Amino acid sequence: MKILFLDWKGFGNEDVITLLKEKGHAVTKILYDIKLTEEEAFSKEFKEVLSKSTFDFLFSFNYYPVVSNCCEGAGLKYAAWVYDSPYIHLYSYTVPNSCNYIFVFDYGVYEEFQLENIKTVYYMPLAVSGKRLSSIYNTPKMKKKHECEVAFVGSMYSEAKHQLYDKFKGVDEFTKGYLDGIINAQLKVYGYNFLQEVMIDSVLEQMQKVYPTNPNDPTIATPEYIYAEYVLARQVTALERQQVIELISERFETNLYTNNQMLQVGKANNRGKIDYYDEMPFVFMNAKINLNITLKSIRTGIPLRAMDIMGCGGFLISNYQQELFEYFKPDQEFVYYEDYGDLMEKTAFYLEHDEHRRAIAQAGCRNIMENHTYEKRLMAILDVIGSNGEK
Amino acid sequence: MINKLMIYCWESEFDSQLLKAVNENNIKYITFTEKITNYHADSVFAAKLIRVILKEKVEAVLSYDYFPLISSVCEINKIPYLSWIFDCPQYTLYSKTITNKMNYIYCFDEIFAERIYTLGACNVFHLPLATDTDKYSEILSNESKNNEVQRKYENIVSFIGNFYNGEKNRLRSSIFSDYITGYLDGVIEAQLLTYGYNFIRESLDDTVVQEVLKQCKIALGKEYIWNPEQLAADAVGMEVSARERELVIESLSNRFPVTLFSTSQLKKEWNLKPLLDLKGYADYEKEAPYIFYNSKINLNITSCTIESGIPQRVLDILGCGGFCLTNYQPEIAEYFVDGEELVMYSSLDDLFEKVEYYLQHEEERKGIAQKGYLKVKKEFSLKERVANMINSIS
């Protein structure tokens, strides 16, 4: 097939392009600036590319309304695999465009769209590049560099772009209390996100005053959604990651890999940023235990991080996430925690039981290689789109 | 084997059933009904109790709920004290006497049982409650022939219960700063949305705990183990229960005919609601069985502070052949088959859907009530519970 591939700086682009080419598909890249809001800028280039060749569909990671409108106009199918959460463009008015095949990895989110009868949104869990990961072999140098008891790779949500919560310092005392209350409550609950539902009118009003959601944006996302998923969920996760790493590093040798190199979190060694392709696999391979602490806006889905860890043969301890249980066997292919006490116990246990740990890591990796590779997903996506372009 | 059991009777509604169950186990017993004036220091009560124990050669004492003074007396006399907890929270369990070795504590709520064990109790058992199906089926078989009674107690949706909004709800009558009010509201609203898991205690940070205890004037004497987080959580939990019951009854009666049996102070506007029938007090022993049997749907809204256990209400409804629609509770899910022996709801929308559905499907509803009755008859018998308790004394 002839595939037009939207090129922006995201995870997985290279993996998928390589895979498609290997399967004999012709892939043409088209550059895209994700900050684009006007169609004109992209439309010109899009028309030019289309004039030179015909394509079966356009593929992108994540979903872009501008791209969708262009595809709709040209009658070209648009396959968009969304791996970010939250993702505001899912609430764009363009979502029902008939050219769209939007794949979301969080079943909880998919269900919301089903309830609204939006047929352009489908469910597709994330994946790893089976081929690339299975061809990475550990080296003594990498082992020495990255070996530790516990590792965490991820954002601590303390960076400037996430400091949205600080904007809310101007709200009234009641609202401050209310937000603190619901954040502390959500910290204790896994498997159910109530942040949107629990926003009462008076609290919303206060938040709109100090941080108005942009009424000009063509989106049907409600203010509750934006505040709950972009601000509060991040705050909850920021707290959880902070608390967990403080606790863990107090007892165990912990490496933290996060963009903000200056952050001191408990006794963890902050190693700063790590390259997704070149080095991250070695982190997972050489840490005895790898933690996954899912962002709260992901309701049931398995985050990419968890799949990366298992796909690299790493041992995974994750917060409870429903879909992990649907695709993987707990305590046989991964381990989960239900509260901090549980996490500490299991961390201590698995550090003491090397054989157990290795067996679980290997089993998890086998499952990923058999069932959760880009190869598998692309086949599924092509099935949905219809290989000859027909529905 | 216990040759002489003493039963402390103070809970008039359920005592006679307990005595009957003890009798059915062929255990010789006497009752003790002296009123207690102070849970730790009532020398008159203690003296009388010791005298009777010695005179009658009592080998063990049994009571619903926990009385520190009885525990002390039993400890001194080296006889077992069997305490069957049937309501949460129960602050007498924070008494320092909890570590007495002669205590045998049976708690109907698994999570609460864990806590009692953590407080230092030696012998703690999880023991779900029970109901007397004999008594109820007797009354019902007599009265089902009497149509007048039938008509009097016929209801569409009924609820018998307390709204926890009176004096005992100290949180509601206390004044807090805006911040603390907001914080508590946030936690309460979140808990109201969450079924099957109580996170109140874990969500309250130290400042909030201190404020709640201070404004609500919650304090325990020196005879008690001081447990601030739990006491604060229980106070907040009561407010959650109050709001939950108000919310359910208010919204449900906007759409469906609801009969409410409650002596609590209710909102004045409720008098004007056309579908809401306010019937005041219902005698639990004499009237409740008929209400349960003759209502199409019996609601159970478990108090928030009962974190996992099956409340007495559910068992009594089923034991009377009534159809029970209840909030989700972990132990209800464990012991009953949802949709076959009773029905559970896990959100307000779910509740509404199920009320509508089961009002329209009479045969199915009656089938479920029948299966529920058979389940409690078989697995929730008082006689067996008493046997369990006696057998567990080593």
Side-chain angles (χ1 to χ4, degrees):
Chain A
M1 291 217 271
K2 299 178 78 177
I3 301 163
L4 187 53
F5 196 98
L6 202 73
D7 192 9
W8 62 273
K9 275 185 160 49
F11 294 135
N13 280 0
E14 292 170 33
D15 284 336
V16 171
I17 291 173
T18 311
L19 186 62
L20 289 170
K21 285 187 177 160
E22 270 171 24
K23 297 277 172 193
H25 301 294
V27 180
T28 309
K29 289 203 275 196
I30 179 168
L31 265 176
Y32 185 72
D33 175 4
I34 60 175
K35 295 202 191 64
L36 227 51
T37 48
E38 299 300 324
E39 270 165 50
E40 273 196 44
F42 179 68
S43 168
K44 189 167 162 219
E45 213 207 319
F46 179 76
K47 288 202 175 94
E48 227 185 277
V49 170
L50 250 58
S51 68
K52 294 193 190 132
S53 187
T54 56
F55 297 98
D56 293 285
F57 65 94
L58 189 154
F59 178 91
S60 78
F61 275 110
N62 287 342
Y63 170 79
Y64 299 98
V66 164
V67 173
S68 181
N69 278 343
C70 289
C71 287
E72 185 78 346
L76 178 65
K77 292 190 177 197
Y78 177 24
W81 193 5
V82 180
Y83 62 47
D84 271 342
S85 175
Y87 196 67
I88 194 146
H89 293 312
L90 284 173
Y91 298 89
S92 154
Y93 72 93
T94 63
V95 162
N97 281 353
S98 60
C99 65
N100 285 341
Y101 294 82
I102 304 171
F103 299 90
V104 297
F105 73 96
D106 188 359
Y107 198 85
V109 168
Y110 165 72
E111 265 186 332
E112 283 169 22
F113 286 94
Q114 283 301 97
L115 280 169
E116 298 293 322
N117 218 20
I118 296 178
K119 309 242 189 258
T120 49
V121 177
Y122 301 82
Y123 165 67
M124 186 69 59
L126 297 175
V128 299
S129 167
K131 187 159 184 224
R132 179 172 64 82
L133 291 185
S134 50
S135 62
I136 299 179
Y137 297 97
N138 207 2
T139 68
K141 181 180 169 192
M142 283 291 119
K143 183 164 193 261
K144 193 161 173 215
K145 187 173 180 189
H146 294 298
E147 65 183 344
C148 63
E149 295 192 305
V150 183
F152 176 74
V153 178
S155 174
M156 296 303 288
Y157 296 117
S158 61
E159 292 99 345
K161 65 174 172 159
H162 300 304
Q163 267 160 345
L164 303 161
Y165 189 65
D166 290 335
K167 291 209 184 195
F168 291 102
K169 295 237 157 89
V171 299
D172 67 25
E173 286 298 303
F174 175 89
T175 303
K176 269 191 207 156
Y178 196 89
L179 293 176
D180 277 348
I182 62 178
I183 285 169
N184 279 324
Q186 184 68 79
L187 257 174
K188 302 301 172 184
V189 179
Y190 295 101
Y192 175 39
N193 176 332
F194 46 65
L195 294 169
Q196 273 188 60
E197 277 178 85
V198 96
M199 298 276 233
I200 51 179
D201 288 340
S202 65
V203 167
L204 269 174
E205 252 177 66
Q206 279 289 302
M207 288 167 100
Q208 288 278 33
K209 257 198 213 160
V210 298
Y211 187 38
T213 53
N214 193 340
N216 295 321
D217 271 348
T219 176
I220 61 161
T222 58
E224 296 96 298
Y225 170 83
I226 293 170
Y227 293 130
E229 309 303 333
Y230 280 88
V231 181
L232 300 177
R234 281 197 183 150
Q235 188 65 11
V236 176
T237 306
L239 283 171
E240 186 176 3
R241 290 181 178 185
Q242 173 88 21
Q243 289 171 2
V244 166
I245 294 173
E246 274 172 9
L247 266 174
I248 290 277
S249 63
E250 190 63 38
R251 262 177 79 177
F252 311 105
E253 180 204 4
T254 309
N255 281 355
L256 169 63
Y257 297 87
T258 191
N259 282 354
N260 186 345
Q261 176 125 38
M262 306 314 296
L263 224 48
Q264 183 60 47
V265 187
K267 298 198 169 125
N269 309 310
N270 187 339
R271 296 295 193 80
K273 220 172 142 156
I274 191 108
D275 184 277
Y276 182 82
Y277 284 97
D278 290 339
E279 235 177 311
M280 195 177 74
F282 297 106
V283 171
F284 299 147
M285 278 187 235
N286 293 299
K288 291 197 177 160
I289 294 179
N290 293 285
L291 289 181
N292 171 60
I293 305 167
T294 311
L295 173 58
K296 282 290 179 188
S297 29
I298 300 175
R299 278 136 172 73
T300 60
I302 305 172
L304 189 56
R305 187 56 29 80
M307 297 233 185
D308 286 332
I309 290 168
M310 290 190 279
C312 294
F315 174 81
L316 169 68
I317 297 186
S318 170
N319 67 287
Y320 172 87
Q321 276 299 111
Q322 195 178 316
E323 287 178 50
L324 270 171
F325 288 76
E326 278 165 34
Y327 297 99
F328 298 89
K329 298 198 192 85
D331 299 333
Q332 290 182 49
E333 293 171 338
F334 77 99
V335 171
Y336 71 101
Y337 68 87
E338 288 179 323
D339 56 54
Y340 297 170
D342 196 24
L343 171 59
M344 293 302 276
E345 265 182 50
K346 287 172 176 169
T347 303
F349 178 85
Y350 284 102
L351 285 174
E352 298 280 304
H353 294 81
D354 287 349
E355 284 311 307
H356 251 93
R357 212 179 61 230
R358 285 194 198 113
I360 292 174
Q362 278 169 16
C365 188
R366 267 197 303 274
N367 188 332
I368 293 267
M369 291 303 167
E370 269 170 38
N371 305 302
H372 303 283
T373 58
Y374 282 131
E375 288 91 339
K376 281 258 148 73
R377 298 291 189 258
L378 285 174
M379 270 180 5
I381 288 174
L382 292 177
D383 256 349
V384 172
I385 299 178
S387 42
N388 62 351
E390 297 292 324
K391 263 203 191 184
Chain B
M1 199 50 212
I2 300 286
N3 291 315
K4 198 64 159 307
L5 179 68
M6 171 196 274
I7 300 162
Y8 178 54
C9 294
W10 62 275
E11 177 49 66
S12 52
E13 278 168 9
F14 300 100
D15 285 336
S16 51
Q17 289 177 34
L18 185 61
L19 296 178
K20 180 173 160 220
V22 170
N23 210 21
E24 283 171 348
N25 277 286
N26 296 316
I27 298 168
K28 287 207 219 41
Y29 69 91
I30 56 165
T31 59
F32 189 76
T33 54
E34 198 70 22
K35 284 241 169 335
I36 200 166
T37 58
N38 181 307
Y39 290 127
H40 282 91
D42 181 341
S43 47
V44 171
F45 179 94
K48 281 199 176 140
L49 183 60
I50 293 170
R51 210 164 50 232
V52 176
I53 285 173
L54 292 174
K55 183 176 169 209
E56 300 290 333
K57 295 193 176 55
V58 168
E59 293 180 13
V61 178
L62 165 67
S63 77
Y64 272 121
D65 284 351
Y66 181 78
F67 292 85
L69 195 50
I70 298 180
S71 176
S72 300
V73 168
C74 287
E75 189 75 355
I76 295 167
N77 287 280
K78 293 193 171 37
I79 58 170
Y81 173 36
L82 291 76
S83 164
W84 196 3
I85 309 301
F86 77 147
D87 198 9
C88 295
Q90 191 157 137
Y91 80 89
T92 51
L93 285 164
Y94 299 138
S95 158
K96 289 179 180 162
T97 60
I98 196 65
T99 55
N100 284 352
K101 295 200 170 30
M102 298 315 293
N103 283 342
Y104 287 80
I105 302 178
Y106 307 88
C107 183
F108 77 107
D109 181 298
E110 252 181 314
I111 292 179
F112 196 45
E114 264 293 320
R115 281 214 192 107
I116 299 168
Y117 181 71
T118 321
L119 286 171
C122 306
N123 312 298
V124 190
F125 305 86
H126 171 236
L127 192 68
L129 297 171
T131 191
D132 180 1
T133 49
D134 288 343
K135 172 188 172 198
Y136 288 131
S137 55
E138 263 168 46
I139 297 175
L140 292 171
S141 66
N142 280 337
E143 297 299 331
S144 64
K145 301 160 195 160
N146 185 341
N147 285 324
E148 229 182 88
V149 171
Q150 210 91 301
R151 271 192 300 270
K152 182 178 176 194
Y153 291 108
E154 242 165 35
N155 300 301
I156 310 292
V157 181
S158 69
F159 179 70
I160 304 180
N162 189 339
F163 279 75
Y164 299 116
N165 54 1
E167 264 177 23
K168 287 194 181 154
N169 183 346
R170 302 217 196 155
L171 206 87
R172 196 168 267 215
S173 50
S174 299
I175 298 174
F176 298 97
S177 69
D178 282 350
Y179 177 85
I180 300 283
T181 307
Y183 192 104
L184 291 173
D185 264 11
V187 172
I188 292 168
E189 289 300 313
Q191 182 65 75
L192 281 169
L193 289 169
T194 308
Y195 290 72
Y197 182 52
N198 179 326
F199 49 71
I200 300 172
R201 181 188 170 139
E202 299 163 279
S203 305
L204 304 179
D205 70 25
D206 287 338
T207 326
V208 178
V209 167
Q210 295 311 322
E211 269 305 294
V212 168
L213 296 179
K214 183 173 157 203
Q215 301 302 334
C216 294
K217 300 190 175 52
I218 295 171
L220 294 177
K222 58 174 165 42
E223 307 94 344
Y224 293 93
I225 303 166
W226 183 236
N227 203 337
E229 297 91 1
Q230 191 59 50
L231 291 169
D234 289 341
V236 177
M238 189 180 273
E239 177 61 15
V240 172
S241 301
R243 288 197 206 183
E244 185 173 12
R245 289 181 177 196
E246 276 165 11
L247 186 59
V248 170
I249 300 298
E250 178 146 343
S251 49
L252 207 56
S253 61
N254 284 335
R255 259 181 71 183
F256 304 100
V258 175
T259 314
L260 182 57
F261 298 89
S262 178
T263 51
S264 296
Q265 272 259 34
L266 304 167
K267 285 192 197 171
K268 289 204 179 78
E269 306 89 81
W270 282 16
N271 287 303
L272 304 169
K273 288 164 76 71
L275 295 174
L276 182 57
D277 193 358
L278 302 174
K279 283 229 167 112
Y281 175 71
D283 184 300
Y284 206 74
E285 237 185 303
K286 299 198 183 82
E287 297 184 281
Y290 298 103
I291 297 167
F292 296 148
Y293 184 74
N294 291 299
S295 300
K296 293 197 203 284
I297 295 179
N298 292 286
L299 276 184
N300 172 63
I301 308 168
T302 310
S303 155
C304 180
T305 45
I306 297 176
E307 297 185 37
S308 68
I310 309 171
Q312 185 69 51
R313 179 59 41 80
V314 169
L315 302 176
D316 290 339
I317 292 170
L318 297 177
C320 296
F323 173 83
C324 180
L325 179 54
T326 170
N327 69 291
Y328 175 90
Q329 278 290 105
E331 287 179 51
I332 296 181
E334 210 183 306
Y335 287 86
F336 291 90
V337 184
D338 186 15
E340 284 183 26
E341 294 166 339
L342 47 64
V343 176
M344 286 191 285
Y345 67 88
S346 353
S347 74
L348 275 182
D349 284 343
D350 196 22
L351 170 63
F352 274 58
E353 264 181 52
K354 284 169 176 167
V355 168
E356 179 152 9
Y357 179 86
Y358 286 102
L359 285 178
Q360 288 170 1
H361 293 79
E362 185 169 329
E363 284 311 307
E364 203 178 325
R365 202 179 70 224
K366 289 189 170 164
I368 292 172
Q370 179 64 5
K371 283 213 176 111
Y373 169 77
L374 292 171
K375 179 60 158 284
V376 299
K377 185 169 172 182
K378 185 168 164 220
E379 296 185 19
F380 289 82
S381 90
L382 262 170
K383 181 181 168 191
E384 222 180 280
R385 293 284 187 263
V386 170
N388 271 340
M389 284 193 272
I390 302 292
N391 288 334
S392 68
I393 307 172
S394 47

